[in-house]
Amino acid sequence: MPRVLTVDARQPDARNVAEAVRVLRGGGLVAFPTETVYGLGARAFEPDAVRRVFAAKGRPRHHPLIVHVTAEDGGRALASVWPEAASIFARALWPGPLTLVVDRKGTVPSVVAGGGPSIAVRAPAHPVALALIDALGEPIAAPSANRYQQLSPTTAAHVVKQLGGAVDLVLDGGPCEAGIESTVVDVRRWPPVVLRPGAVSIAALRALVPDVVRGSYSVSGDDERAAPGMDARHYAPRARLTLALTDDVWSLALAATRAGTRVGLVVRNALAPEDAPPGVLVRRLSSEATTYARHLYETLHELDDAGVETIVAERVPATDAWVAVADRLERAAASGTQS
Ligand code: TXA
Ligand code: MG
């Protein structure tokens, strides 16, 4: 089991941050909170440490990692070209849940980038993450701190549950605010393309750069500009997840219960719970997308921990506000695994 140090999310204790820096300098892995999900961090310029991140996650080597910096100049230092769009987004939205894909500078180890020519960079808006990068004095490569294709962690306990001793130290800063990963935008070409919808809405991006387009990140989509590492199955609980239209939620749950499986239901607040079949674990999430997103992974972790075998989740509206949540639910429900 890893060591876990509790840190105040607003004012992280300098001694605990210094201990995390010591572990990173020694080539170790430190999980830390960000405003989106917990990251599994290693020194970005230490290829051996970065390789340990891939091993700890069981992640294929060609899936690039995000490099975390504290501000725009840190991102710029990793890029061979820093386009105007990168400046606009970074100035307005960093630190924040936005990842920019830019051309990689030759000095950035290729292993971090999954061997590719680009690099994803972001400045996270979490005091613990910022304090850690700042105290280390170097960028930190960090994917979400979960096993490959499994649920992302929004608490330190989620990290420990999945990664155990594969991580050396976990900084526990409490639950993550956004609860869903950053929005990934490729700014290498015009117009900028959203590769992964996330905590920053497309409307917020378009308010800055109206030309932003959505990439084909649909689960079946397979586009030249799709993000490497965007497998159909991803963000998945252990339980089998099925998406249902609002009207079909109860009948699907009932059918699964009758077939003898332990069923969990994830519905939005608008749905009346009276009709829930007996024995079904019902989790009610907000009818508002941001609040729903904050609790989604936590809820799926809970249902997994309760030993549920089938999760029926009510489909969410097909509106812009719900794009990121809908993407994660569809990937969690996708049955085909790829490697
Ligand atoms: O919110 C987040 O982004 C969290 C926190 C820890 O920062 N990190 C995260 O990392 O979600 P990860 O590795 O689980 O997901 C990063 C995704 C990859 O799956 C891939 O789709 C995309 O970002 N990505 C990373 N590098 C890329 C690159 N060079 N080109 C295109 N897409 C890239
Ligand atoms: Mg991830």
Side-chain angles (χ1 to χ4, degrees):
M1 285 297 117
R3 276 193 304 151
V4 179
L5 292 176
T6 303
V7 283
D8 187 323
R10 299 230 167 88
Q11 280 183 302
D13 174 51
R15 272 173 313 175
N16 288 345
V17 172
E19 179 55 19
V21 167
R22 205 187 58 75
V23 171
L24 289 171
R25 291 225 170 100
L29 306 187
V30 174
F32 60 95
T34 81
E35 78 280 36
T36 59
V37 299
Y38 274 71
L40 177 63
R43 289 171 75 185
F45 283 88
E46 194 56 69
D48 284 341
V50 172
R51 281 186 201 102
R52 288 190 61 204
V53 171
F54 284 94
K57 281 182 66 82
R59 175 166 171 151
R61 286 285 183 84
H62 61 277
H63 284 214
L65 308 182
I66 296 173
V67 179
H68 295 71
V69 296
T70 56
E72 188 188 351
D73 56 350
R76 200 186 276 270
L78 303 170
S80 61
V81 182
W82 191 251
E84 178 63 16
S87 289
I88 295 171
F89 288 135
R91 274 171 209 161
L93 297 170
W94 279 5
L98 176 70
T99 296
L100 300 173
V101 174
V102 291
D103 288 308
R104 172 169 62 95
K105 204 175 223 172
T107 48
V108 180
S110 124
V111 61
V112 185
S118 61
I119 190 76
V121 291
R122 113 171 168 93
H126 193 293
V128 174
L130 290 172
L132 184 61
I133 305 161
D134 191 50
L136 178 68
E138 290 172 29
I140 297 180
S144 51
N146 52 279
R147 295 281 301 169
Y148 179 55
Q149 293 185 329
Q150 295 181 14
L151 279 180
S152 296
T154 58
T155 67
H158 296 161
V159 177
V160 173
K161 181 173 75 170
Q162 278 196 33
L163 296 180
V167 49
D168 300 298
L169 177 67
V170 181
L171 292 179
D172 181 355
C176 301
E177 178 81 24
I180 197 161
E181 296 83 353
S182 64
T183 304
V184 179
V185 183
D186 186 346
V187 291
R188 287 175 297 166
R189 279 173 277 172
W190 192 266
V193 178
V194 176
L195 299 179
R196 176 177 74 178
V200 170
S201 71
I202 293 172
L205 298 174
R206 288 198 176 134
L208 297 161
V209 177
D211 297 14
V212 168
V213 296
R214 288 168 54 171
S216 65
Y217 40 69
S218 77
V219 166
S220 54
D222 142 70
D223 180 295
E224 179 224 336
R225 292 190 72 184
M230 288 295 276
D231 282 354
R233 183 180 169 85
H234 213 134
Y235 314 106
R238 266 198 312 271
R240 192 188 136 78
L241 190 140
T242 305
L243 294 177
L245 293 171
T246 305
D247 285 349
D248 301 335
V249 164
W250 305 131
S251 56
L252 270 176
L254 187 60
T257 316
R258 288 211 176 116
T261 38
R262 295 203 61 192
V263 180
L265 266 184
V266 180
V267 298
R268 279 169 296 129
N269 253 327
L271 201 62
E274 294 88 65
D275 305 328
V280 171
L281 268 171
V282 184
R283 289 286 180 273
R284 295 161 69 73
L285 291 179
S286 178
S287 300
E288 189 274 314
T290 311
T291 313
Y292 183 109
R294 181 175 306 143
H295 298 293
L296 174 61
Y297 291 144
E298 167 197 304
T299 300
L300 296 178
H301 274 287
E302 262 173 39
L303 291 174
D304 265 350
D305 294 345
V308 157
E309 296 151 285
T310 295
I311 297 173
V312 178
E314 180 189 8
R315 281 192 184 276
V316 296
T319 58
D320 275 358
W322 289 91
V323 166
V325 164
D327 172 78
R328 301 309 188 274
L329 286 174
E330 273 167 36
R331 284 178 204 284
S335 54
T337 51
Q338 305 170 2
S339 60

